[in-house]
Amino acid sequence: MKGVTSWYIRIGEWAFHLFVLNILWFLFSLSGLFILGIFPATAAIHAVMRKLIMSADNVSIIKLFWNTFKAEFLKSNLLGYIFLVAGFIIYINLRVLQQLDANIFNQFMIVITYIAGLLYLLTLLHVFPVLVHYNFKTIDYIKYAFVLSIGRPLQSILMIAVLVITILLFFQVPGLIPVFGIGLISFIIMKISSRSFPGLEHSYDRKNNHSTQ
C-alpha cells in the first residue's frame, strides 16, 4: 500500500513539474516575442528536465531555467535558426520536386529529400539535449546530434513513435496542451536521448555549474 501511495505522490510531483515548465516555456518564449525567446526557452526546459530525470535533490526549477535561458541565449538562437532555415530549404525543395514531371530522376530526388527530411527531424530532436549537456562549438552540436540520431536507430525510432502517440493524444484531448504540452514532449525527448550520452552526469554537472556562476 505504501508503494502505491509513493507512486501517486511521484506522479503528482511530475505532473506539477510538467505544468510549471510548460508555463515557464511559454512566458520566456513570449519574453523574446517568440522570435528570440523560443529557442533559449526550449534549451532551458531541456536542461531542467534532464536535472529532474537525474532525480537530483532540491532542484530549483525557476533558477535553473532562468540561468540556462541566459547562458544559452545566443547559442540556442543560432542553432535554432540554422535548423529553421535548413527545414525551410528541405520543404521548398520537396514542393518544387512535386511540381515537376514524374520521371525516374525526379522520383529519386523526392525519395532522397524525404530521407534528408527524416534525418533532419532526428537531428533536430537530439540537438537541444546535446546543447544542454556539452560545451561544443556550434557546428559540433549538429554533428554530434546527427551521429546520435543514426548511431542509435532503435532509440530514434522509439522517440518518434512515442512523440507521434503523444501528439495524437493532444489532438484527441486538446486541453492537455496548455497544461502539459511542451513539458511532456521535452520529458519524452530527454528520457530517451539521455541513454545515448556516455558519462553524461559529469558533463552535465560541469556545464550546469558553469552556467549558474
Side-chain angles (χ1 to χ4, degrees):
M1 187 65 181
K2 184 180 295 185
V4 175
T5 303
S6 64
W7 267 103
Y8 277 124
I9 294 174
R10 186 65 176 162
I11 292 173
E13 289 177 346
W14 268 106
F16 176 74
H17 292 328
L18 294 178
F19 176 66
V20 171
L21 286 171
N22 213 44
I23 293 175
L24 288 174
W25 181 87
F26 177 78
L27 292 177
F28 276 78
S29 296
L30 185 62
S31 70
L33 301 178
F34 288 96
I35 298 174
L36 294 177
I38 190 170
F39 297 121
T42 301
I45 197 173
H46 280 76
V48 176
M49 191 60 67
R50 176 52 181 152
K51 197 71 173 179
L52 291 172
I53 291 174
M54 288 169 59
S55 300
D57 296 328
N58 301 320
V59 178
S60 177
I61 292 178
I62 297 177
K63 181 180 179 181
L64 179 56
F65 196 103
W66 169 236
N67 286 335
T68 306
F69 184 89
K70 292 186 299 181
E72 307 297 349
F73 185 85
L74 293 178
K75 196 176 293 184
S76 61
N77 271 312
L78 179 58
L79 281 171
Y81 280 102
I82 287 174
F83 274 91
L84 191 64
V85 170
F88 181 75
I89 292 173
I90 292 173
Y91 173 76
I92 293 299
N93 189 57
L94 182 60
R95 294 293 295 174
V96 170
L97 287 171
Q98 290 174 338
Q99 301 300 318
L100 299 178
D101 295 334
N103 55 49
I104 295 177
F105 177 76
N106 288 338
Q107 293 300 313
F108 174 75
M109 291 304 299
I110 289 176
V111 171
I112 293 298
T113 304
Y114 273 118
I115 294 174
L118 177 60
L119 293 175
Y120 163 84
L121 176 61
L122 290 174
T123 305
L124 176 60
L125 291 175
H126 284 89
V127 76
F128 281 101
V130 173
L131 173 63
V132 300
H133 294 314
Y134 294 106
N135 282 305
F136 289 151
K137 295 180 180 179
T138 302
I139 190 64
D140 291 332
Y141 288 112
I142 300 174
K143 290 179 181 178
Y144 195 54
F146 176 76
V147 169
L148 284 178
S149 66
I150 62 175
R152 304 285 182 124
L154 293 180
Q155 288 188 190
S156 295
I157 293 172
L158 176 62
M159 184 185 296
I160 290 180
V162 176
L163 286 173
V164 168
I165 293 172
T166 303
I167 292 171
L168 291 175
L169 176 62
F170 287 159
F171 275 116
Q172 293 297 318
V173 189
L176 293 175
I177 298 175
V179 180
F180 300 123
I182 299 299
L184 183 56
I185 289 174
S186 175
F187 171 79
I188 293 169
I189 293 173
M190 289 304 308
K191 186 68 175 179
I192 297 175
S193 66
S194 62
R195 300 181 181 185
S196 302
F197 295 95
L200 181 60
E201 290 80 4
H202 301 296
S203 298
Y204 176 82
D205 288 340
R206 284 198 299 268
K207 180 160 188 176
N208 184 48
N209 290 336
H210 174 73
S211 65
T212 55
Q213 290 176 353

